[in-house]
Amino acid sequence: MARTGNNLERIKFQNIESIKEIIYRQGPISRAEIAELLQLTPPTITTNVANLIQQGIVRECENVPSQEGRRALGRRRVLIDYIPDAKYTVGVECGYHGMLICLVDIRCNVVAERKYTDRISYYEETIDAVARHVEELLEEQGIPREKIAGLGIAFPGFVNQREGVLRYGAINKWKDKTITKDLESRTGFACIMENNVRCCAIGEAMRSDRLRPETFAYFLVSRGLGCPMVIRNRLHVGEMTGAGEVGHMVVAPKGPVCPTCGNRGCLEGISSELAIRERCGQAVREGVPTLLNAVCANPAEPQIEEILQAQNSNDHVVCTIMEDAITYIGIGLANIINFISPPLVIIDGRILQSEKNQKLLIEVTRNNLFSVNVEEVDMEFVPFNKFRAAMGAAALAIRKFILEERR
Ligand SMILES: [Zn+2]
């Protein structure tokens, strides 16, 4: 008997989650359409929607049909949709750009974004600062605590989302920090933590202004490289902590030694921002004539913006290093696409903002694809935005604390 009870309970949870998900992705939507799409009975939809309305997170809204539609249908349809300001979440990224905080509504519309100058160096101080800044932001925005569904936290490094533990922090080499628990006790809010690049991916999956396919890959070239995946609307988190860590895939066995993994010719050791900066700096140190000497504050240690500026001015040294880096990125990306066959790859990164670099990446990737549907893979470049991971962490909290059912 207990078993049947558990099964019924599980089906009930699955139904509620499916209904919330379909309203999120397709709302405003009618009860009849929900029933049809999910193959559930109208009474199941009616009961569950009534519960959501009672909870205050969705509402009925009448759509006004066009003149033509009015004649054809003869009556208004009642549609269901989320109430954007019914709940909010806060996303925080403690990363290389500092401490970034983003407040979003249920629809992941950004209400406020703030950058704080706190240095992320000591653990307890960092956690205290996050808690303090979240409170300040809510006060400043006049959002009562009961409207906050939860916090999402993004960190670069290896994160075990289920356990809420930062297994290894890329910035300070923090090990096994129970960040979720520590922030919950300081803020009183429910918390969830993820790797910062994976947060970027979930942020795209939850975007309100653009419906993404249910499955896609998110490819980021930054200090390192990452390619998390969203599969059927869920972030693929894997069994351990490293899903999407493609940076140390070897693409050139005779390439340079990677300072992180120690292997030769991994993608990160050739094509990451750090690798590009290192190679450009080396050219300067060796006395090769380059515009870097003119555009950089410290030519021996060029910043990525300065390198891009020199590339823009067609500096030969920088253009060669950049083309080499992007060629290897294209080979790596083609391998990834061949392996998982996603309908869409979202591509992010400062070095992939210019049309020239985008064109080269598309060309190399397509040349290395092995597939009958090479043209069907959509490669979309997104603009650089340093708040992406913080916004994604907030989106993850929406998914966890609003769209999923607590069990
Ligand atoms: Zn490596």
Side-chain angles (χ1 to χ4, degrees):
M1 281 303 284
R3 203 184 170 108
T4 314
N6 285 342
N7 282 343
L8 282 176
E9 193 82 333
R10 202 175 66 227
I11 291 167
K12 211 176 91 189
F13 278 135
Q14 278 169 357
N15 286 346
I16 302 172
E17 283 188 358
S18 305
I19 292 165
K20 287 201 240 179
E21 180 83 38
I22 208 96
I23 301 173
Y24 203 85
R25 282 183 71 80
Q26 308 212 11
I29 183 171
S30 71
R31 288 177 177 83
E33 285 168 314
I34 300 173
E36 198 184 321
L37 285 166
L38 296 177
Q39 296 285 295
L40 291 171
T41 63
T44 303
I45 307 300
T46 306
T47 311
N48 281 297
V49 167
N51 281 339
L52 295 176
I53 291 174
Q54 203 193 357
Q55 287 169 30
I57 59 172
V58 307
R59 67 182 161 208
E60 290 183 337
C61 39
E62 274 190 4
N63 81 324
V64 183
S66 65
Q67 282 306 315
E68 205 173 314
R70 196 177 299 228
R71 261 194 306 268
L73 292 169
R75 66 191 180 98
R76 294 177 171 208
R77 289 192 311 151
V78 176
L79 303 178
I80 308 298
D81 204 355
Y82 282 91
I83 305 167
D85 62 358
K87 290 278 178 189
Y88 299 84
T89 62
V90 182
V92 182
E93 185 194 22
C94 295
Y96 293 103
H97 297 287
M99 195 178 288
L100 300 163
I101 304 193
C102 184
L103 173 71
V104 305
D105 67 16
I106 285 191
R107 278 292 184 193
C108 286
N109 299 306
V110 175
V111 178
E113 287 173 333
R114 295 286 178 276
K115 182 178 188 321
Y116 297 91
T117 52
D118 302 70
R119 286 187 54 199
I120 296 146
S121 44
Y122 297 105
Y123 180 71
E124 297 292 331
E125 281 176 18
T126 302
I127 298 299
D128 285 341
V130 169
R132 193 172 64 243
H133 292 320
V134 168
E135 296 290 348
E136 284 164 7
L137 184 61
L138 296 183
E139 197 167 312
E140 175 203 306
Q141 294 293 317
I143 310 265
R145 289 179 61 88
E146 58 273 19
K147 284 222 169 191
I148 302 299
L151 302 189
I153 320 293
F155 267 90
F158 290 108
V159 172
N160 185 322
Q161 186 202 109
R162 289 188 196 95
E163 292 172 11
V165 174
L166 179 66
R167 295 282 303 278
Y168 177 82
I171 298 186
N172 291 316
K173 302 188 170 41
W174 287 344
K175 271 192 185 147
D176 295 325
K177 296 292 185 193
T178 52
I179 291 178
T180 300
K181 187 171 94 6
D182 297 342
L183 268 174
E184 279 178 348
S185 69
R186 278 170 175 79
T187 62
F189 295 125
C191 294
I192 183 167
M193 174 172 55
E194 243 316 339
N195 162 274
N196 59 339
V197 190
R198 291 200 225 164
C199 284
C200 294
I202 203 71
E204 279 296 323
M206 302 276 289
R207 266 174 76 152
S208 55
D209 57 337
R210 187 143 194 202
L211 189 63
R212 295 299 193 184
E214 293 189 351
T215 295
F216 65 86
Y218 190 96
F219 188 77
L220 172 73
V221 182
S222 173
R223 287 175 69 92
L225 284 102
C227 190
M229 283 171 289
V230 171
I231 300 174
R232 293 191 198 92
N233 295 322
R234 296 286 191 280
L235 189 64
H236 176 64
V237 292
E239 291 303 310
M240 290 167 290
T241 58
E245 290 288 339
V246 296
H248 302 283
M249 170 200 299
V250 174
V251 286
K254 292 181 182 163
V257 174
C258 165
T260 309
C261 73
N263 291 331
R264 263 189 193 282
C266 72
L267 209 46
E268 207 158 297
I270 302 177
S271 303
S272 64
E273 284 184 8
L274 283 183
I276 293 168
R277 285 170 58 192
E278 172 53 31
R279 290 176 77 186
C280 289
Q282 196 184 350
V284 170
R285 293 193 295 272
E286 286 170 359
V288 182
T290 157
L291 282 179
L292 288 170
N293 286 306
V295 299
C296 298
N298 176 6
E301 286 181 19
Q303 299 298 309
I304 204 72
E305 292 86 0
E306 297 165 333
I307 293 170
L308 290 169
Q309 199 185 332
Q311 190 199 11
N312 237 349
S313 307
N314 289 321
D315 178 69
H316 180 69
V317 173
V318 171
C319 285
T320 308
I321 291 171
M322 202 60 106
E323 276 166 27
D324 196 45
I326 289 171
T327 300
Y328 282 109
I329 294 174
I331 294 170
L333 184 54
N335 288 341
I336 293 165
I337 295 173
N338 283 337
F339 185 54
I340 58 175
S341 189
L344 167 70
V345 184
I346 295 170
I347 303 168
D348 185 10
R350 279 182 290 189
I351 68 163
L352 294 163
Q353 298 293 306
S354 75
E355 203 178 316
K356 185 178 170 187
N357 292 352
Q358 293 178 356
K359 265 189 175 163
L360 177 62
L361 181 66
I362 291 173
E363 187 192 317
V364 179
T365 306
R366 292 213 188 283
N367 286 344
N368 284 283
L369 281 181
F370 174 75
S371 172
V372 287
N373 44 10
V374 168
E375 294 301 322
E376 288 170 27
V377 182
D378 188 9
M379 292 165 65
E380 181 187 321
F381 295 89
V382 287
F384 176 73
N385 175 358
K386 66 182 174 207
F387 283 97
R388 229 171 246 289
M391 184 270 165
L396 180 66
I398 295 278
R399 171 158 288 291
K400 175 73 181 176
F401 302 121
I402 295 179
L403 298 190
E404 286 180 14
E405 285 294 302
R406 305 263 187 132
R407 299 167 198 218

